[in-house]
Amino acid sequence: MTFDSQAYAAQLQDKVARLRDLLAPFDAPEPAVFDSPLKNFRLRAEFRLWREAGERHYAMFSQDDKRTPILIEEFPIASLRINQLMPQLKAAWQASAPLSHKLFQVEFLTTLAGDGMITLCYHRPLDEHWHAAASKLTADLGVSIIGRSKGKREVIGHDYVVEKLDVGGRTFSYRQPEGAFTQPNGTVNQKMLNWAYEALGDRSDDLLELYCGNGNFTLPLATRVRKVLATEISKTSVNAALSNLSENAVDNVTLVRLSAEELTEALNDVRPFRRLHGIDLKSYEFGSVFVDPPRAGMDPDTCELSRRFDNILYISCNPDTLAANIAQLNDTHRITRCALFDQFPWTHHMESGVLLTRR
């Protein structure tokens, strides 16, 4: 793969044009554009292993052909740390029967801060010989190792990495658990966080956050408001978010494990929820809502809920569903800021953001 800067610039302009066209019906301002490094931007990678000529090799498959492996020795879009670890890990499994026996998949997770974790997936139970070999590998490579087999997980070191991101003049520390969602492009994620931080601005009222994940946006946005009510349905992400709030001494956030749809029902007094016991929803003076939904966007009821707030700060990984949601909100809110974040260079995917304010 070549990394031609002119080709990248042309592709980025195509994405800008697409976003501009999608938001044109809503009289959106010109989007701010946040580019990506051309290579070594991806902080996580997953490989199947393919046996050929008696050796296992890293392999990937094209979208069009899931049967023919593409054997690789390096992965230039992945972080420098992943590319450093790939040959070291391969040499280790080649030299160790306990590490290589029925190993079929490898996952890397790294951070801008230099932390690293490798997950090794097996079609067999893990025994004491594997544990001894993996413990030595952890020490040799300076990373945590997770071993996975059917229904079992062995952790050597930590089952998370720690990322550090600078937002609004402050460094935030993020625990990112194995198996949980994290933003893959750390450099662009940091730009995205700073854009959201500036777009929200300093406020004296409260923020509702839906789909908060591990607290990626929660931590910096909480410093801009009086208090935050945040929701997330994944138990792993909730636990990480609670740890991150504590680690960063952010004490004005209440986090509840509810889906966006369930919180909508709670705020509409449709039914009570045990997980909201002791939380007085009426004590909040919400001026803004922050949403970072999955690719399907907000469901219609959640979209209607967001209409109640003066400000809707919306990060989207799918510009088509973003446009569809804005169409539902356009009669009461207008776009005052928008941005494109090139989280996924060399693909057609893009991340975007809008700030909608009440008309």
Side-chain angles (χ1 to χ4, degrees):
M1 181 175 181
T2 59
F3 296 92
D4 179 79
S5 59
Q6 290 185 326
Y8 173 74
Q11 185 190 67
L12 182 57
Q13 284 308 307
D14 287 343
K15 294 181 182 182
V16 173
R18 180 176 171 227
L19 182 62
R20 190 187 290 125
D21 289 346
L22 284 168
L23 299 184
F26 314 113
D27 298 319
E30 184 68 12
V33 179
F34 298 91
D35 64 355
S36 170
L38 272 62
K39 60 181 181 177
N40 301 127
F41 53 81
R42 189 172 178 84
L43 295 176
R44 63 174 190 251
E46 177 182 304
F47 304 102
R48 294 300 297 264
L49 297 190
W50 192 267
R51 181 179 286 277
E52 189 169 282
E55 291 288 352
R56 284 182 175 83
H57 302 272
Y58 296 107
M60 302 186 81
F61 297 82
S62 71
Q63 293 280 6
D64 302 326
D65 183 356
K66 298 297 186 182
R67 295 186 175 184
T68 306
I70 302 168
L71 304 185
I72 58 177
E73 297 297 325
E74 57 183 15
F75 194 43
I77 67 170
S79 68
L80 290 172
R81 182 74 170 122
I82 290 176
N83 280 279
Q84 176 192 40
L85 289 169
M86 286 174 68
Q88 295 175 334
L89 176 61
K90 186 174 182 178
W93 83 55
Q94 287 175 332
S96 170
L99 288 177
S100 64
H101 183 50
K102 294 195 175 181
L103 174 65
F104 72 92
Q105 183 167 299
V106 174
E107 301 165 12
F108 295 91
L109 179 61
T110 60
T111 69
L112 295 174
D115 206 358
M117 178 170 58
I118 301 173
T119 301
L120 305 174
C121 303
Y122 291 87
H123 286 310
R124 68 173 178 92
L126 302 178
D127 56 19
E128 67 275 11
H129 300 294
W130 178 88
H131 198 280
S135 296
K136 181 178 185 304
L137 184 62
T138 293
D140 290 345
L141 300 186
V143 297
S144 293
I145 299 289
I146 311 292
R148 282 194 173 273
S149 60
K150 186 176 182 179
K152 298 287 185 180
R153 187 178 76 142
E154 296 281 343
V155 179
I156 302 176
H158 299 292
D159 64 350
Y160 60 85
V161 292
V162 176
E163 181 63 285
K164 295 185 182 296
L165 299 172
D166 296 327
V167 186
R170 176 177 171 180
T171 300
F172 293 91
S173 176
Y174 293 89
R175 180 178 293 195
Q176 299 181 340
E178 187 250 355
F181 173 79
T182 55
Q183 297 287 347
N185 189 325
T187 301
V188 176
N189 182 39
Q190 189 164 255
K191 294 177 181 181
M192 191 164 63
L193 292 174
N194 277 282
W195 179 85
Y197 176 89
E198 291 298 328
L200 182 62
D202 269 324
R203 303 188 56 83
S204 57
D205 52 15
D206 302 329
L207 174 69
L208 175 65
E209 181 182 6
L210 309 179
Y211 324 95
C212 79
N214 71 348
N216 185 51
F217 287 93
T218 317
L219 299 182
L221 294 185
T223 68
R224 302 294 255 174
V225 296
R226 189 177 68 125
K227 57 182 180 177
V228 179
L229 178 65
T231 70
E232 170 57 47
I233 192 62
S234 162
K235 186 179 291 187
T236 300
S237 294
V238 166
N239 290 336
L242 290 171
S243 174
N244 292 335
L245 290 168
S246 175
E247 176 69 23
N248 291 274
V250 175
D251 59 5
N252 64 336
V253 176
T254 298
L255 178 59
V256 291
R257 193 164 74 86
L258 292 175
S259 69
E261 294 80 4
E262 289 171 330
L263 184 69
T264 298
E265 291 182 342
L267 291 172
N268 288 335
D269 292 324
V270 173
R271 65 187 177 104
F273 288 88
R274 189 175 69 254
R275 291 172 187 166
L276 287 169
H277 179 71
I279 299 173
D280 182 6
L281 294 179
K282 292 182 170 55
S283 71
Y284 286 87
E285 299 173 8
F286 293 119
S288 307
V289 60
F290 174 80
V291 297
D292 182 10
R295 289 191 60 78
M298 289 192 288
D299 67 276
D301 289 341
T302 305
C303 216
E304 283 303 305
L305 171 70
S306 67
R307 190 194 296 279
R308 299 180 187 179
F309 306 99
D310 289 339
N311 304 291
I312 305 167
L313 189 55
Y314 191 142
I315 297 293
S316 169
C317 60
N318 184 342
D320 295 301
T321 55
L322 171 65
N325 283 161
I326 293 173
Q328 187 175 342
L329 298 165
N330 192 47
D331 59 332
T332 55
H333 288 72
R334 63 188 179 89
I335 302 174
T336 53
R337 292 194 188 199
C338 65
L340 186 151
F341 311 100
D342 198 20
Q343 280 266 12
F344 308 99
W346 312 113
T347 77
H348 69 280
H349 296 292
M350 69 172 102
E351 202 99 354
S352 52
V354 295
L355 175 65
L356 299 131
T357 57
R358 190 176 300 282
R359 292 186 181 276

Short mmCIF file of all heavy atoms in Angstrom, two decimals, residues 276-328:
data_model
loop_
_atom_site.label_atom_id
_atom_site.label_comp_id
_atom_site.label_asym_id
_atom_site.label_seq_id
_atom_site.Cartn_x
_atom_site.Cartn_y
_atom_site.Cartn_z
N LEU A 276 -32.33 3.38 38.71
CA LEU A 276 -32.39 4.82 38.97
C LEU A 276 -32.78 5.12 40.42
O LEU A 276 -33.02 6.28 40.77
CB LEU A 276 -33.39 5.48 38.02
CG LEU A 276 -32.94 5.63 36.56
CD1 LEU A 276 -34.11 6.05 35.68
CD2 LEU A 276 -31.80 6.62 36.44
N HIS A 277 -32.85 4.08 41.26
CA HIS A 277 -33.22 4.27 42.66
C HIS A 277 -32.23 5.24 43.33
O HIS A 277 -31.01 5.07 43.24
CB HIS A 277 -33.22 2.94 43.40
CG HIS A 277 -33.57 3.07 44.86
ND1 HIS A 277 -34.85 3.37 45.29
CD2 HIS A 277 -32.80 2.97 45.98
CE1 HIS A 277 -34.85 3.45 46.60
NE2 HIS A 277 -33.62 3.19 47.05
N GLY A 278 -32.76 6.25 43.99
CA GLY A 278 -31.92 7.23 44.67
C GLY A 278 -31.47 8.38 43.80
O GLY A 278 -30.80 9.30 44.29
N ILE A 279 -31.80 8.35 42.51
CA ILE A 279 -31.43 9.44 41.59
C ILE A 279 -32.67 10.28 41.31
O ILE A 279 -33.68 9.77 40.81
CB ILE A 279 -30.85 8.90 40.27
CG1 ILE A 279 -29.59 8.08 40.54
CG2 ILE A 279 -30.55 10.03 39.30
CD1 ILE A 279 -29.05 7.36 39.30
N ASP A 280 -32.61 11.55 41.68
CA ASP A 280 -33.74 12.46 41.47
C ASP A 280 -33.59 13.12 40.10
O ASP A 280 -32.86 14.09 39.94
CB ASP A 280 -33.77 13.52 42.57
CG ASP A 280 -34.94 14.48 42.43
OD1 ASP A 280 -35.80 14.26 41.55
OD2 ASP A 280 -34.98 15.47 43.19
N LEU A 281 -34.26 12.57 39.12
CA LEU A 281 -34.15 13.11 37.76
C LEU A 281 -34.63 14.56 37.69
O LEU A 281 -34.13 15.34 36.86
CB LEU A 281 -34.96 12.25 36.79
CG LEU A 281 -34.45 10.82 36.56
CD1 LEU A 281 -35.37 10.07 35.59
CD2 LEU A 281 -33.02 10.82 36.03
N LYS A 282 -35.56 14.92 38.56
CA LYS A 282 -36.11 16.28 38.51
C LYS A 282 -35.14 17.32 39.07
O LYS A 282 -35.37 18.52 38.95
CB LYS A 282 -37.45 16.32 39.25
CG LYS A 282 -38.55 15.55 38.53
CD LYS A 282 -39.87 15.65 39.27
CE LYS A 282 -41.01 15.09 38.42
NZ LYS A 282 -40.78 13.71 37.99
N SER A 283 -34.05 16.84 39.71
CA SER A 283 -33.07 17.79 40.26
C SER A 283 -32.12 18.33 39.19
O SER A 283 -31.39 19.29 39.43
CB SER A 283 -32.24 17.12 41.36
OG SER A 283 -31.34 16.15 40.81
N TYR A 284 -32.15 17.72 38.00
CA TYR A 284 -31.25 18.15 36.93
C TYR A 284 -31.87 19.30 36.14
O TYR A 284 -33.07 19.31 35.87
CB TYR A 284 -30.96 16.98 35.98
CG TYR A 284 -30.02 15.95 36.56
CD1 TYR A 284 -30.51 14.91 37.34
CD2 TYR A 284 -28.64 16.04 36.36
CE1 TYR A 284 -29.66 13.96 37.89
CE2 TYR A 284 -27.78 15.10 36.90
CZ TYR A 284 -28.29 14.06 37.67
OH TYR A 284 -27.43 13.14 38.21
N GLU A 285 -31.02 20.24 35.80
CA GLU A 285 -31.41 21.35 34.93
C GLU A 285 -30.66 21.19 33.62
O GLU A 285 -29.63 21.81 33.37
CB GLU A 285 -31.09 22.69 35.59
CG GLU A 285 -31.82 22.92 36.91
CD GLU A 285 -31.36 24.19 37.61
OE1 GLU A 285 -30.57 24.97 37.00
OE2 GLU A 285 -31.77 24.39 38.77
N PHE A 286 -31.17 20.27 32.78
CA PHE A 286 -30.47 19.94 31.54
C PHE A 286 -30.59 21.08 30.52
O PHE A 286 -31.69 21.47 30.14
CB PHE A 286 -31.05 18.66 30.92
CG PHE A 286 -30.80 17.42 31.73
CD1 PHE A 286 -31.87 16.68 32.22
CD2 PHE A 286 -29.52 16.99 31.99
CE1 PHE A 286 -31.66 15.52 32.95
CE2 PHE A 286 -29.29 15.84 32.73
CZ PHE A 286 -30.37 15.10 33.21
N GLY A 287 -29.43 21.57 30.09
CA GLY A 287 -29.41 22.54 29.00
C GLY A 287 -28.94 21.92 27.71
O GLY A 287 -29.23 22.43 26.62
N SER A 288 -28.21 20.79 27.83
CA SER A 288 -27.60 20.18 26.66
C SER A 288 -27.67 18.66 26.76
O SER A 288 -27.71 18.10 27.86
CB SER A 288 -26.11 20.59 26.53
OG SER A 288 -25.96 21.99 26.55
N VAL A 289 -27.69 18.01 25.60
CA VAL A 289 -27.58 16.57 25.54
C VAL A 289 -26.43 16.24 24.59
O VAL A 289 -26.27 16.90 23.55
CB VAL A 289 -28.89 15.90 25.07
CG1 VAL A 289 -29.30 16.37 23.69
CG2 VAL A 289 -28.78 14.37 25.09
N PHE A 290 -25.63 15.25 24.97
CA PHE A 290 -24.55 14.79 24.12
C PHE A 290 -24.85 13.36 23.71
O PHE A 290 -25.13 12.51 24.57
CB PHE A 290 -23.19 14.85 24.83
CG PHE A 290 -22.09 14.24 24.01
CD1 PHE A 290 -21.51 14.96 22.98
CD2 PHE A 290 -21.66 12.93 24.23
CE1 PHE A 290 -20.52 14.39 22.19
CE2 PHE A 290 -20.67 12.37 23.45
CZ PHE A 290 -20.10 13.10 22.42
N VAL A 291 -24.79 13.08 22.41
CA VAL A 291 -25.06 11.73 21.91
C VAL A 291 -23.95 11.28 20.98
O VAL A 291 -23.44 12.06 20.18
CB VAL A 291 -26.43 11.64 21.19
CG1 VAL A 291 -27.56 11.95 22.15
CG2 VAL A 291 -26.50 12.56 19.99
N ASP A 292 -23.57 10.03 21.11
CA ASP A 292 -22.60 9.39 20.23
C ASP A 292 -23.14 7.98 19.94
O ASP A 292 -22.64 6.99 20.46
CB ASP A 292 -21.23 9.33 20.90
CG ASP A 292 -20.15 8.72 20.01
OD1 ASP A 292 -20.42 8.51 18.81
OD2 ASP A 292 -19.06 8.44 20.52
N PRO A 293 -24.21 7.90 19.13
CA PRO A 293 -24.93 6.64 18.97
C PRO A 293 -24.22 5.65 18.06
O PRO A 293 -23.26 6.02 17.36
CB PRO A 293 -26.26 7.08 18.35
CG PRO A 293 -25.90 8.30 17.56
CD PRO A 293 -24.82 8.99 18.35
N PRO A 294 -24.67 4.40 18.02
CA PRO A 294 -24.14 3.44 17.06
C PRO A 294 -24.51 3.83 15.63
O PRO A 294 -25.21 4.82 15.41
CB PRO A 294 -24.79 2.12 17.48
CG PRO A 294 -26.00 2.51 18.25
CD PRO A 294 -25.68 3.82 18.91
N ARG A 295 -24.09 3.02 14.67
CA ARG A 295 -24.26 3.38 13.25
C ARG A 295 -25.71 3.60 12.86
O ARG A 295 -26.00 4.37 11.95
CB ARG A 295 -23.65 2.29 12.35
CG ARG A 295 -22.13 2.24 12.36
CD ARG A 295 -21.59 1.34 11.27
NE ARG A 295 -21.98 1.77 9.94
CZ ARG A 295 -21.41 2.77 9.27
NH1 ARG A 295 -20.44 3.48 9.83
NH2 ARG A 295 -21.83 3.07 8.06
N ALA A 296 -26.62 2.96 13.56
CA ALA A 296 -28.04 3.12 13.23
C ALA A 296 -28.58 4.49 13.63
O ALA A 296 -29.71 4.84 13.26
CB ALA A 296 -28.85 2.02 13.92
N GLY A 297 -27.80 5.28 14.37
CA GLY A 297 -28.27 6.59 14.81
C GLY A 297 -29.23 6.48 15.98
O GLY A 297 -29.39 5.43 16.60
N MET A 298 -29.89 7.60 16.30
CA MET A 298 -30.86 7.60 17.39
C MET A 298 -32.19 7.05 16.89
O MET A 298 -32.62 7.36 15.78
CB MET A 298 -31.07 9.02 17.91
CG MET A 298 -29.91 9.59 18.69
SD MET A 298 -30.35 11.13 19.56
CE MET A 298 -30.47 12.30 18.19
N ASP A 299 -32.85 6.27 17.74
CA ASP A 299 -34.19 5.82 17.41
C ASP A 299 -35.15 7.01 17.50
O ASP A 299 -34.81 8.04 18.12
CB ASP A 299 -34.63 4.70 18.35
CG ASP A 299 -34.81 5.19 19.77
OD1 ASP A 299 -33.80 5.26 20.50
OD2 ASP A 299 -35.95 5.54 20.13
N PRO A 300 -36.33 6.93 16.91
CA PRO A 300 -37.23 8.10 16.87
C PRO A 300 -37.58 8.66 18.25
O PRO A 300 -37.65 9.88 18.43
CB PRO A 300 -38.47 7.55 16.15
CG PRO A 300 -37.94 6.47 15.27
CD PRO A 300 -36.83 5.83 16.06
N ASP A 301 -37.79 7.79 19.26
CA ASP A 301 -38.16 8.28 20.58
C ASP A 301 -37.00 9.04 21.24
O ASP A 301 -37.21 10.08 21.89
CB ASP A 301 -38.59 7.12 21.48
CG ASP A 301 -39.93 6.53 21.09
OD1 ASP A 301 -40.68 7.23 20.38
OD2 ASP A 301 -40.23 5.39 21.49
N THR A 302 -35.78 8.53 21.09
CA THR A 302 -34.62 9.22 21.64
C THR A 302 -34.40 10.54 20.91
O THR A 302 -34.01 11.55 21.51
CB THR A 302 -33.37 8.33 21.55
OG1 THR A 302 -33.63 7.09 22.19
CG2 THR A 302 -32.18 8.99 22.22
N CYS A 303 -34.65 10.54 19.62
CA CYS A 303 -34.55 11.77 18.84
C CYS A 303 -35.54 12.81 19.37
O CYS A 303 -35.20 13.99 19.54
CB CYS A 303 -34.83 11.46 17.37
SG CYS A 303 -33.85 12.41 16.20
N GLU A 304 -36.76 12.37 19.67
CA GLU A 304 -37.76 13.28 20.22
C GLU A 304 -37.34 13.77 21.61
O GLU A 304 -37.56 14.94 21.95
CB GLU A 304 -39.12 12.58 20.29
CG GLU A 304 -39.83 12.49 18.95
CD GLU A 304 -40.02 13.85 18.30
OE1 GLU A 304 -40.61 14.76 18.94
OE2 GLU A 304 -39.57 14.02 17.15
N LEU A 305 -36.74 12.89 22.40
CA LEU A 305 -36.25 13.30 23.71
C LEU A 305 -35.21 14.41 23.58
O LEU A 305 -35.25 15.40 24.31
CB LEU A 305 -35.65 12.10 24.44
CG LEU A 305 -34.91 12.42 25.74
CD1 LEU A 305 -35.89 12.85 26.82
CD2 LEU A 305 -34.10 11.20 26.23
N SER A 306 -34.29 14.25 22.63
CA SER A 306 -33.21 15.24 22.49
C SER A 306 -33.75 16.62 22.10
O SER A 306 -33.12 17.64 22.36
CB SER A 306 -32.17 14.75 21.48
OG SER A 306 -32.72 14.69 20.18
N ARG A 307 -34.94 16.64 21.50
CA ARG A 307 -35.54 17.90 21.08
C ARG A 307 -35.83 18.82 22.28
O ARG A 307 -35.95 20.04 22.13
CB ARG A 307 -36.84 17.61 20.33
CG ARG A 307 -37.44 18.80 19.63
CD ARG A 307 -38.87 18.51 19.22
NE ARG A 307 -39.00 17.44 18.24
CZ ARG A 307 -38.82 17.60 16.94
NH1 ARG A 307 -38.49 18.78 16.46
NH2 ARG A 307 -38.99 16.58 16.11
N ARG A 308 -35.94 18.24 23.48
CA ARG A 308 -36.26 19.04 24.67
C ARG A 308 -35.14 20.01 25.05
O ARG A 308 -35.36 20.97 25.78
CB ARG A 308 -36.51 18.12 25.87
CG ARG A 308 -37.66 17.16 25.71
CD ARG A 308 -37.77 16.34 26.99
NE ARG A 308 -38.75 15.28 26.87
CZ ARG A 308 -39.01 14.42 27.84
NH1 ARG A 308 -38.34 14.49 28.99
NH2 ARG A 308 -39.92 13.47 27.66
N PHE A 309 -33.91 19.70 24.61
CA PHE A 309 -32.75 20.44 25.12
C PHE A 309 -32.38 21.58 24.18
O PHE A 309 -32.54 21.48 22.96
CB PHE A 309 -31.57 19.48 25.30
CG PHE A 309 -31.92 18.29 26.15
CD1 PHE A 309 -32.24 17.07 25.58
CD2 PHE A 309 -31.96 18.40 27.53
CE1 PHE A 309 -32.59 15.97 26.35
CE2 PHE A 309 -32.30 17.31 28.32
CZ PHE A 309 -32.62 16.09 27.73
N ASP A 310 -31.87 22.64 24.78
CA ASP A 310 -31.48 23.80 23.96
C ASP A 310 -30.34 23.45 23.01
O ASP A 310 -30.29 23.95 21.88
CB ASP A 310 -31.04 24.97 24.86
CG ASP A 310 -32.22 25.58 25.60
OD1 ASP A 310 -33.37 25.40 25.14
OD2 ASP A 310 -31.99 26.22 26.64
N ASN A 311 -29.44 22.59 23.47
CA ASN A 311 -28.27 22.23 22.67
C ASN A 311 -28.18 20.72 22.52
O ASN A 311 -28.30 19.98 23.51
CB ASN A 311 -26.98 22.75 23.33
CG ASN A 311 -27.03 24.24 23.56
OD1 ASN A 311 -27.00 25.02 22.63
ND2 ASN A 311 -27.13 24.64 24.83
N ILE A 312 -27.93 20.27 21.30
CA ILE A 312 -27.72 18.85 21.01
C ILE A 312 -26.34 18.72 20.37
O ILE A 312 -26.12 19.20 19.26
CB ILE A 312 -28.78 18.29 20.05
CG1 ILE A 312 -30.20 18.55 20.58
CG2 ILE A 312 -28.56 16.80 19.81
CD1 ILE A 312 -31.29 18.30 19.55
N LEU A 313 -25.42 18.12 21.10
CA LEU A 313 -24.07 17.88 20.57
C LEU A 313 -24.02 16.42 20.13
O LEU A 313 -24.21 15.52 20.94
CB LEU A 313 -23.03 18.17 21.66
CG LEU A 313 -21.56 18.19 21.26
CD1 LEU A 313 -21.29 19.14 20.11
CD2 LEU A 313 -20.70 18.56 22.47
N TYR A 314 -23.80 16.22 18.84
CA TYR A 314 -24.01 14.90 18.22
C TYR A 314 -22.75 14.49 17.48
O TYR A 314 -22.31 15.16 16.57
CB TYR A 314 -25.19 15.01 17.25
CG TYR A 314 -25.76 13.73 16.67
CD1 TYR A 314 -27.14 13.60 16.49
CD2 TYR A 314 -24.97 12.66 16.27
CE1 TYR A 314 -27.70 12.44 15.94
CE2 TYR A 314 -25.51 11.51 15.74
CZ TYR A 314 -26.88 11.41 15.57
OH TYR A 314 -27.43 10.28 15.02
N ILE A 315 -22.14 13.37 17.92
CA ILE A 315 -21.02 12.75 17.20
C ILE A 315 -21.56 11.51 16.49
O ILE A 315 -22.26 10.70 17.09
CB ILE A 315 -19.88 12.36 18.17
CG1 ILE A 315 -19.30 13.60 18.86
CG2 ILE A 315 -18.78 11.61 17.41
CD1 ILE A 315 -18.56 14.56 17.95
N SER A 316 -21.21 11.36 15.21
CA SER A 316 -21.79 10.29 14.41
C SER A 316 -20.71 9.54 13.65
O SER A 316 -19.80 10.13 13.10
CB SER A 316 -22.79 10.88 13.41
OG SER A 316 -23.18 9.90 12.46
N CYS A 317 -20.88 8.19 13.60
CA CYS A 317 -20.00 7.38 12.77
C CYS A 317 -20.68 7.00 11.46
O CYS A 317 -20.13 6.24 10.67
CB CYS A 317 -19.55 6.12 13.52
SG CYS A 317 -20.91 5.05 14.03
N ASN A 318 -21.88 7.55 11.22
CA ASN A 318 -22.61 7.27 9.99
C ASN A 318 -23.32 8.55 9.54
O ASN A 318 -24.37 8.90 10.10
CB ASN A 318 -23.62 6.14 10.22
CG ASN A 318 -24.35 5.74 8.94
OD1 ASN A 318 -24.37 6.48 7.96
ND2 ASN A 318 -24.96 4.57 8.96
N PRO A 319 -22.78 9.28 8.56
CA PRO A 319 -23.37 10.56 8.17
C PRO A 319 -24.78 10.44 7.60
O PRO A 319 -25.56 11.40 7.66
CB PRO A 319 -22.39 11.11 7.13
CG PRO A 319 -21.65 9.91 6.62
CD PRO A 319 -21.57 8.97 7.77
N ASP A 320 -25.12 9.27 7.08
CA ASP A 320 -26.48 9.09 6.54
C ASP A 320 -27.52 9.08 7.65
O ASP A 320 -28.57 9.74 7.54
CB ASP A 320 -26.55 7.80 5.72
CG ASP A 320 -25.68 7.86 4.48
OD1 ASP A 320 -25.89 8.76 3.65
OD2 ASP A 320 -24.77 7.02 4.35
N THR A 321 -27.26 8.34 8.73
CA THR A 321 -28.22 8.33 9.84
C THR A 321 -28.17 9.66 10.59
O THR A 321 -29.20 10.09 11.15
CB THR A 321 -27.97 7.15 10.79
OG1 THR A 321 -26.61 7.17 11.25
CG2 THR A 321 -28.24 5.84 10.10
N LEU A 322 -27.02 10.32 10.62
CA LEU A 322 -26.95 11.67 11.19
C LEU A 322 -27.91 12.60 10.46
O LEU A 322 -28.71 13.32 11.08
CB LEU A 322 -25.52 12.21 11.11
CG LEU A 322 -25.33 13.68 11.46
CD1 LEU A 322 -25.65 13.94 12.92
CD2 LEU A 322 -23.91 14.15 11.14
N ALA A 323 -27.85 12.59 9.14
CA ALA A 323 -28.73 13.45 8.35
C ALA A 323 -30.19 13.11 8.58
O ALA A 323 -31.05 14.00 8.67
CB ALA A 323 -28.38 13.34 6.87
N ALA A 324 -30.50 11.82 8.69
CA ALA A 324 -31.88 11.41 8.94
C ALA A 324 -32.37 11.92 10.30
O ALA A 324 -33.52 12.38 10.44
CB ALA A 324 -32.00 9.89 8.87
N ASN A 325 -31.50 11.85 11.33
CA ASN A 325 -31.88 12.37 12.65
C ASN A 325 -32.04 13.88 12.63
O ASN A 325 -32.98 14.42 13.24
CB ASN A 325 -30.83 11.98 13.69
CG ASN A 325 -30.92 10.52 14.14
OD1 ASN A 325 -29.97 9.97 14.68
ND2 ASN A 325 -32.05 9.88 13.92
N ILE A 326 -31.16 14.58 11.93
CA ILE A 326 -31.27 16.04 11.86
C ILE A 326 -32.57 16.44 11.16
O ILE A 326 -33.22 17.42 11.56
CB ILE A 326 -30.05 16.65 11.13
CG1 ILE A 326 -28.78 16.43 11.97
CG2 ILE A 326 -30.26 18.15 10.88
CD1 ILE A 326 -27.51 16.84 11.25
N ALA A 327 -32.98 15.68 10.16
CA ALA A 327 -34.24 15.97 9.47
C ALA A 327 -35.40 15.93 10.46
O ALA A 327 -36.35 16.73 10.35
CB ALA A 327 -34.46 14.98 8.34
N GLN A 328 -35.35 15.02 11.43
CA GLN A 328 -36.40 14.92 12.43
C GLN A 328 -36.36 16.10 13.40
O GLN A 328 -37.40 16.47 13.97
CB GLN A 328 -36.27 13.60 13.20
CG GLN A 328 -37.44 13.33 14.17
CD GLN A 328 -37.34 11.97 14.84
OE1 GLN A 328 -36.62 11.09 14.38
NE2 GLN A 328 -38.07 11.79 15.93
#
